[in-house]
Amino acid sequence: MALTPTFLRYFRNTFWLLVERVGRLVLSTIAAIVVLRHLGPERYGALSFAVSFVALFTSFGGLGIDVLLTRELVRHRHPRTVLLGTALSLRIAGIAFAVGAAWAVAAITHETRATCILILVIGAGALVQSASLLRFHFEAEVRSRSVAAAQGIAAVVLLSSSVILVLRDAPLVGFAFVPLAEALALGLALLVAYQADTGEATRWRFSPSVALSLLSDSWPFIVGAVFVMLYMRTDQVMLRYMLGEGAVGQYSAAMRMVEPLFAVPAAIAAGLFPAVVRAKEMSPELYRFRLRGFYSVMTWIGLACALGVSIVGSRLVGLMFGGEYQAAVPVAAIYAWALVFVFQAYASGTWLRTENLQRYSLPVVIFAGCTNVGLNAVMIPTMGPRGAALATVATQGMAALLLPLAFKATRENALDLLRCFNPIGSLRMVRAYLNIGEITV
């Protein structure tokens, strides 16, 4: 099996993204262990509730810019300084509005003063995190080593600040500053790397026409992000109101065993997305092979991760987080299977963006988000956190596989994803994907 120079180029790019994600996974898991054991289910549940509450609002404030920026940087339709300057301006304005709305809703609904402070501090971290958009410059150039280094610095800040706060027995609000410190470190590192690479950090400018172009393409992703966050975070909010902060703490501990792995498909997709875009522009055959091979790889990595976490990871919950979190063990075993559909969703999202079919993601995520709220409302009172985990897995499966079958434009793509569960066919597609040597990008 001969590997082409083009494949090796994208493999190296993906390798650095995976190194960064795995490194962050290790460091963030250590930080989570330290924090969870120190805070206990009740206080950790209060912190997790505030994080989820803010996320429900900032999902709208992000304006869907992330999912389009790599595509636009690869296509070179607008000057890089204009594109990044406009994207950053839109993102900052949107997140600032969203954080203000989150605080206002919390105040109107008579949340405690402590909860409102947590929301403001966590929201400030989300605002600073806007600078992470700079990573798309390096991903579009298929040079992710700088991103990996910046993310590594941020992960070290995350771990060190968590340990310091635990050693000093800091109050709960102190731990809300950890994501803010992490975001500051990441933003500064990316800014330094970008300036060293291009010297353009002082030449960014906002363009109303580019802003309108980005928003016209991204509005399905804006609405979609809201409903995705609805079925990713509503469970914790509903658990808090139905069963209290202790249940949120148990459920969040289970999530901590699984959700760091959500970064793996994001890394693979980010590393290979430029190759898929360029393949479409050069050859239908290359595009088809790369896409279907990519689907197969993502599906089987997702299955392996889900099986591993379900068998081994769930048994580590009590060992890592302490005896107080034993109730999280069966929750983690269920929640792990959402990984399969998360991997597939990232893969199919690549195809949607390449084909500019974002509009079809909208009805899918709206239906899935509403369904998740309904499933949680039914399952949480009878099954507790396990019911919330089942609702999440069911919703992820519907969004990735079943609902896209309802539309003619996305039906064949959904069938390709279903075919990936055939191990023989998937192996054949991966071999074909690796053996394409005649067409280069």
Side-chain angles (χ1 to χ4, degrees), residues 291 294-295 343-353 399-400 404 413 417:
L291 193 61
F294 179 44
Y295 286 174
F343 272 75
Q344 289 196 321
Y346 271 105
S348 62
T350 301
W351 177 77
L352 284 172
R353 293 192 294 274
N413 188 67
L417 289 170

Side-chain angles (χ1 to χ4, degrees), residues 109-408:
T109 55
H110 306 292
E111 289 292 345
T112 64
R113 183 174 180 271
T115 299
C116 289
I117 293 173
L118 288 175
I119 287 171
L120 282 178
V121 174
I122 293 166
L127 186 63
V128 173
Q129 200 175 26
S130 299
S132 65
L133 287 179
L134 293 175
R135 75 183 187 273
F136 294 112
H137 158 70
F138 297 100
E139 291 175 4
E141 296 293 324
V142 200
R143 291 186 291 109
S144 293
R145 186 177 299 186
S146 297
V147 178
Q151 296 276 23
I153 292 170
V156 171
V157 171
L158 168 69
L159 176 59
S160 58
S161 57
S162 297
V163 171
I164 290 171
L165 288 171
V166 169
L167 292 176
R168 294 178 64 87
D169 196 21
L172 182 60
V173 69
F175 292 89
F177 279 94
V178 172
L180 175 58
E182 181 188 14
L184 279 170
L186 175 61
L188 287 173
L190 285 174
L191 183 62
V192 170
Y194 178 83
Q195 180 66 11
D197 187 52
T198 67
E200 297 175 349
T202 59
R203 297 204 294 269
W204 291 331
R205 60 187 178 88
F206 178 82
S207 168
S209 61
V210 173
L212 289 174
S213 175
L214 287 173
L215 292 175
S216 66
D217 280 349
S218 68
W219 72 264
F221 287 114
I222 297 173
V223 180
V226 172
F227 281 90
V228 167
M229 197 55 64
L230 193 65
Y231 69 75
M232 292 297 293
R233 296 296 184 183
T234 300
D235 43 14
Q236 294 179 75
V237 175
M238 293 179 71
L239 276 168
R240 193 260 197 167
Y241 285 117
M242 290 181 176
L243 301 179
E245 292 172 346
V248 180
Q250 298 289 350
Y251 186 75
S252 299
M255 290 176 63
R256 291 299 307 178
M257 290 296 301
V258 179
E259 286 198 338
L261 293 174
F262 286 10
V264 176
I268 298 174
L272 297 181
F273 182 46
V276 175
V277 173
R278 292 189 174 103
K280 177 177 172 58
E281 296 172 351
M282 295 196 64
S283 164
E285 292 78 15
L286 177 62
Y287 175 55
R288 185 69 172 170
F289 274 121
R290 280 189 173 171
L291 193 61
R292 295 181 71 179
F294 179 44
Y295 286 174
S296 297
V297 169
M298 294 285 274
T299 298
W300 284 91
I301 293 177
L303 284 166
C305 290
L307 184 62
V309 173
S310 183
I311 293 175
V312 179
S314 61
R315 289 175 169 80
L316 294 177
V317 171
L319 178 64
M320 293 167 57
F321 300 149
E324 292 181 290
Y325 291 96
Q326 282 297 327
V329 172
V331 180
I334 296 170
Y335 195 87
W337 291 97
L339 282 167
V340 179
F341 306 117
V342 169
F343 272 75
Q344 289 196 321
Y346 271 105
S348 62
T350 301
W351 177 77
L352 284 172
R353 293 192 294 274
T354 305
E355 296 292 333
N356 202 23
L357 293 174
Q358 298 96 311
R359 62 188 181 275
Y360 289 102
S361 66
L362 183 58
V364 169
V365 297
I366 289 176
F367 188 85
C370 295
T371 300
N372 183 256
V373 173
L375 289 174
N376 275 306
V378 172
M379 292 183 172
I380 288 176
T382 57
M383 300 180 64
R386 287 181 300 168
L390 279 171
T392 297
V393 174
T395 304
Q396 293 280 10
M398 289 174 58
L401 295 176
L402 297 183
L403 295 177
L405 292 172
F407 305 101
K408 183 178 179 180

Side-chain angles (χ1 to χ4, degrees), residues 65-76:
I65 300 299
D66 295 30
V67 294
L68 294 175
L69 202 50
T70 298
R71 187 191 75 183
E72 294 303 315
L73 287 168
V74 168
R75 290 180 174 177
H76 301 291

